[in-house]
Amino acid sequence: MSRSSYLVTALAGMLLIPAAVLTTAPQAAAAATTVSIGLSLPAGPATTALTVTGRGFDPAEPVDLFVGTHPVGSGTANITGALGGTDVRIP
């Protein structure tokens, strides 16, 4: 099982649209899958609370969420590969 990491881009304390930078280890003979993430808010100042959702993960895959190099949350995909609402706070 691989672990996915996503980068949510922040600039000068303002949250921007997610960059969705996937940094998973490649799996041999794995089919290409489109992974997507979504944010409950498109922008906000530092300390903004928001919810991150996603789909296209492997079932039960652990997912780490970052703003820059700061870890802000993690979750585990469900049996269909969806990441339910994971609450994070932007540093």
Side-chain angles (χ1 to χ4, degrees):
M1 175 185 326
S2 66
R3 177 175 286 274
S4 295
S5 297
Y6 283 86
L7 173 69
V8 177
T9 304
L11 178 65
M14 294 296 292
L15 175 67
L16 302 175
I17 295 173
V21 178
L22 180 62
T23 57
T24 59
Q27 295 182 7
T33 308
T34 300
V35 174
S36 64
I37 61 170
L39 301 176
S40 60
L41 298 171
T47 72
T48 296
L50 61 119
T51 301
V52 179
T53 58
R55 63 182 173 160
F57 299 99
D58 289 333
E61 180 176 358
V63 179
D64 295 322
L65 302 165
F66 294 84
V67 172
T69 59
H70 302 283
V72 294
S74 63
T76 303
N78 66 19
I79 195 163
T80 66
L83 179 65
T86 301
D87 295 326
V88 300
R89 185 167 298 278
I90 303 308

